[in-house]
Amino acid sequence: MFVALEPRRLYRQVAEQIRALIEAGELKPGTRLPPERELAERFAVSRPTVREALIVLEVEGHIQIRMGSGVYISQKPQGSDELRQLEDTEGPLEILQARCLIESAIAEEAARRVTRAGLQRIDATLERMARSLDEPEVALGCDRDFHTAIADMIGNSALKHFTGLIYDSRMSPYFTKLASYFEGPHTWKLALEEHHIIRDALATGDPAAAREAMRSHLTLAQKRFSESFGEEQPREK
């Protein structure tokens, strides 16, 4: 039923195969899809790739993800053709991987150019974020301000603008849907703690430490968004 895939934005190919089976009537409404692990094995891709594909299909209305239960085929969606116009949109994990590479280098350079005013701006942002962990929109805004403030330290307006643009790509319907499952006060608290480590590395003017702190932060963010939807047995702690 499922076919192994060649590399080319794999999560899109996975979504296309499952969508085709749904539209052909081979997967009926109410049918439960196999667990992520099994789908990943059948498609010969990673589980995060499967997860991104499932998010695409849920945004389109083809499936329903029920945390702790599984993924089920929905009734025929309305308006999914319009959503397919977003097919060139980068996947959530692609965005985080790109940010990890780019912003680690930015943090390294910012540590060489740190200023008192720049640190004061970061400190104010972190204080505001600490008061807003249970307010997702405010926490998200603080998170964006933190990352763009670091880029701003370098004094290159194009770099600051680019950092804002790549951050704002997480406002896509796919990233927003994924965040709705895995983002909350607990994850914002973890992000805040990681931000403080980055801030301290900047304050000491240590480029290597700043680079590693940012790399660790965005790698952990990827892991948080790569959690299972919980349709399998709980993992050992």
Side-chain angles (χ1 to χ4, degrees), residues 21-45:
L21 292 172
I22 294 171
E23 293 177 343
E26 294 186 42
L27 293 173
K28 307 291 186 184
T31 301
R32 183 180 183 275
L33 284 177
E36 279 181 16
R37 179 174 57 224
E38 186 174 337
L39 288 173
E41 291 172 354
R42 293 190 189 187
F43 286 115
V45 298

Side-chain angles (χ1 to χ4, degrees), residues 5-19:
L5 302 173
E6 296 297 325
R8 181 188 61 80
R9 195 156 284 187
L10 292 178
Y11 79 96
R12 285 289 180 185
Q13 295 184 67
V14 173
E16 287 166 8
Q17 279 203 30
I18 297 175
R19 185 193 300 118

